[in-house]
Amino acid sequence: MLIREAVAQDWPRIWPFWHRIVAAADTYTWDPDTSEEAARALWMAPAKRVYVVEDDTGALVASAYLTANYGGPAARIANAGFMVDPDQGGRGIGRALAEHVLDAARAEGYRGMVFNAVVETNPAVKLWTSFGFTILGTVPDAYAHPRHGRVGLHIMYKTL
């Protein structure tokens, strides 16, 4: 698999799985009805460094972004978002992309990474804790999950 920086022309290949993931309302706090235009502006914003994963056939199977979570004196704390095509799960794509983005964050001088709202039922919580992220706190009953009802949102952090 190839992990590379995204170009504008990648968006039409990101959008189908981006939309599928957000519309499912399982893992992201974004509006499930987000339009393609709004999604592109959100994911591909100029302040974000965006990455994509291509498998051996050239299919685009995942994407992530890296950006500063805060500004000013706290600008050395990163934030990131990750999406793997649901049809491609279990192949190690998310782990490889996470390693790549964490390495990129370190190389860019970030001192830590924070996730502001990780749905507590998200299977990625296990992935993030395996990378050394800790749960700083949980906002209880903050997320209306379509299957689990009201669940918490974790705030997770890792020193880089």
Side-chain angles (χ1 to χ4, degrees), residues 20-30 32 117-125 139-154:
R20 185 173 165 200
I21 291 166
V22 172
D26 281 334
T27 56
Y28 273 90
T29 60
W30 295 324
V118 181
V119 178
E120 70 181 348
T121 56
N122 185 338
V125 171
V139 182
D141 301 327
Y143 190 80
H145 195 282
R147 287 187 322 280
H148 302 295
R150 307 255 7 134
V151 298
L153 291 173
H154 294 322

Side-chain angles (χ1 to χ4, degrees), residues 69-93:
N69 192 67
Y70 310 109
R76 295 292 83 202
I77 302 299
N79 177 260
F82 296 83
M83 291 197 186
V84 177
D85 183 330
D87 294 333
Q88 304 298 321
R91 296 178 49 203
I93 295 167

Side-chain angles (χ1 to χ4, degrees), residues 38-84:
R40 182 182 186 141
L42 181 69
W43 197 259
M44 304 288 284
K48 294 178 177 174
R49 186 170 304 249
V50 180
Y51 300 94
V52 292
V53 179
E54 291 182 352
D55 70 9
D56 296 338
T57 70
L60 203 150
V61 296
S63 183
Y65 69 78
L66 173 65
T67 191
N69 192 67
Y70 310 109
R76 295 292 83 202
I77 302 299
N79 177 260
F82 296 83
M83 291 197 186
V84 177

Side-chain angles (χ1 to χ4, degrees), residues 96-118:
L97 185 56
E99 289 172 351
H100 184 87
V101 171
L102 287 166
D103 288 344
R106 285 184 201 94
E108 290 186 28
Y110 287 107
R111 299 181 51 80
M113 183 174 287
V114 66
F115 299 138
N116 301 303
V118 181

